[in-house]
Amino acid sequence: MAQDTTAPEDLDSFRLRARTWLADNLPRIAQGTAAMDLQESQQADPTRARELQRKLFDGGFAGICYPKEYGGQGLPREHQRAFNEESAPYEMPLVFNIPTLSILAPTILDFGTEEQKKRHLPAILRGEELWVQFLSEPTGGSDLAGVLTRATRDGDVWVLNGSKIWSSGAFRSDYALCLARTDWEAPKHRGLTMFIVKIHQPGIEIQQIMMVNGMREFCQEFFTDVHLPAENVLGAVNDGWTVASRLLYHEREAVGGGSQYVSGMSVGARSGPMRDLADLAIAKGRAGDARVRQLVGEAHANDAVQRQLIERIGASIRLGVLPPPAGAIPRLYGGMNSVRRSSIGLDIAGADAVAWADDDSPEEGIGTFFVMRQGSCLGGGSTEMARNIISERVLGMPREYAADRDKPFDQVQRNRMPSR
């Protein structure tokens, strides 16, 4: 394929073109409607989001940082950032951002065959495919490599059996990347393979899980003799950990707020219902309280640090100054900042965050956001895992002991069902 040598569009010209197109084609967000509410609505029913994503594609604003040969615009991250700023007042297909656009599509871009990339990436950018990641398992905890779901080769197909859990939005998605064990005699990191799985097919059962805030975003899936074509292997057979490691890199970037593939509002701490704590303090009549002013100042300072951290770490990784696992640094800070921000919001709102009426904005949502605050420290790997990654792979500290290291997986001791 001939290389595209066309110079990128001037940033100011692009911004002006995007501003005009957005005003002419996308509806503005109604006053008083939080972006989080729009995202939750799209999570429950993505029909509207698929239509909006198709509009972006037809208008030439989908996949701004994706290569042109796969339906994108082939522009640098500065253009995506400008588009995100211009699109803030408008209704955007936010449900496509995580994990489809910012985690799974970049992983396909990194490891997919030419046929896989041309089959799926343009379809994603047109809004025709939502994706989910099948990684965690019911008995796995944080040990992602301890996969028990198995795929067995049978002629021209692989047969998948097992179960995955904590999969965001599996019920509404079309495809998944699924990590399965394909060699039980190899050490646990070397006997894995990543598969492209069409979700709605015989042998796959999906159960939604109700969370503490009432949402049913997470799912558990059960696989019974699911047939996967051999061409659905992403990367190499038994080298799935390499693919998974890259997927986790994209996940840390997305959850930490540094992904160039997120289109629309930024993610992370500022995506919560307390985007402006100063407004909350004013609404509660506490803007003159010295302690409340300190809390608001602390939150804004923390946000400024997070933004600068994303920029600095991202640039250092791109320049090779820091290794890719350094993406765990903004991921860790983002999770901790979100927890602190939820506590500050609760402190300012006081008892109104515990009980509220439907028209009590902006108190609405603060209490449930506080109850859900640990979620920001779990998504994209726990904060404990982020600290391990930073200490071992960025700072070069010794790796912690692991009893199963280099041992054939079928010889690793595991828990058994107790006898009655």
Side-chain angles (χ1 to χ4, degrees), residues 176-334:
L177 287 185
C178 178
L179 190 63
R181 188 160 301 282
T182 45
D183 185 349
W184 292 72
E185 297 179 356
K188 70 176 182 179
H189 291 86
R190 301 176 203 162
L192 302 169
T193 302
M194 189 72 81
F195 292 92
I196 294 173
V197 177
K198 185 177 182 180
I199 294 177
H200 300 290
Q201 64 169 302
I204 298 183
E205 178 189 351
I206 299 174
Q207 294 183 357
Q208 291 177 255
I209 301 170
M210 181 174 286
M211 297 188 290
V212 69
N213 64 354
M215 291 186 64
R216 301 171 67 90
E217 173 72 359
F218 289 121
C219 302
Q220 180 171 4
E221 304 78 31
F222 300 90
F223 312 118
T224 305
D225 294 333
V226 178
H227 284 203
L228 305 175
E231 60 265 28
N232 280 22
V233 170
L234 187 70
V237 173
N238 292 334
D239 193 31
W241 188 247
T242 299
V243 182
S245 297
R246 186 64 179 173
L247 183 156
L248 294 174
Y249 163 75
H250 288 303
E251 186 180 64
R252 285 192 291 270
E253 276 226 312
V255 176
S259 174
Q260 62 183 313
Y261 301 115
V262 168
S263 182
M265 73 170 194
S266 62
V267 296
R270 286 175 293 157
S271 64
M274 300 171 291
R275 295 182 309 282
D276 195 335
L277 293 170
D279 286 346
L280 177 62
I282 293 170
K284 301 306 300 176
R286 304 187 66 187
D289 186 319
R291 180 171 173 277
V292 169
R293 295 169 73 90
Q294 282 187 336
L295 291 173
V296 172
E298 178 191 341
H300 281 270
N302 289 344
D303 282 354
V305 170
Q306 184 172 346
R307 289 193 294 273
Q308 292 301 315
L309 199 59
I310 291 169
E311 293 296 325
R312 180 166 181 173
I313 298 296
S316 296
I317 293 174
R318 289 193 295 277
L319 293 171
V321 176
L322 288 173
I329 298 173
R331 153 68 190 85
L332 173 62
Y333 188 88

Side-chain angles (χ1 to χ4, degrees), residues 136 141-144 248 251-252 255 327-329 331-333 335-336 374-390 400:
S136 299
S142 295
D143 184 12
L144 185 60
L248 294 174
E251 186 180 64
R252 285 192 291 270
V255 176
I329 298 173
R331 153 68 190 85
L332 173 62
Y333 188 88
M336 301 306 293
Q374 290 298 339
S376 60
C377 290
L378 295 173
S382 67
T383 53
E384 290 75 13
M385 292 173 63
R387 289 189 172 100
N388 263 358
I389 291 170
I390 294 167
E400 65 177 343

Side-chain angles (χ1 to χ4, degrees), residues 187-189 392 399-408 412:
K188 70 176 182 179
H189 291 86
E392 295 176 358
R399 295 191 64 176
E400 65 177 343
Y401 171 76
D404 55 6
R405 183 166 297 151
D406 297 327
K407 180 179 290 188
V412 174

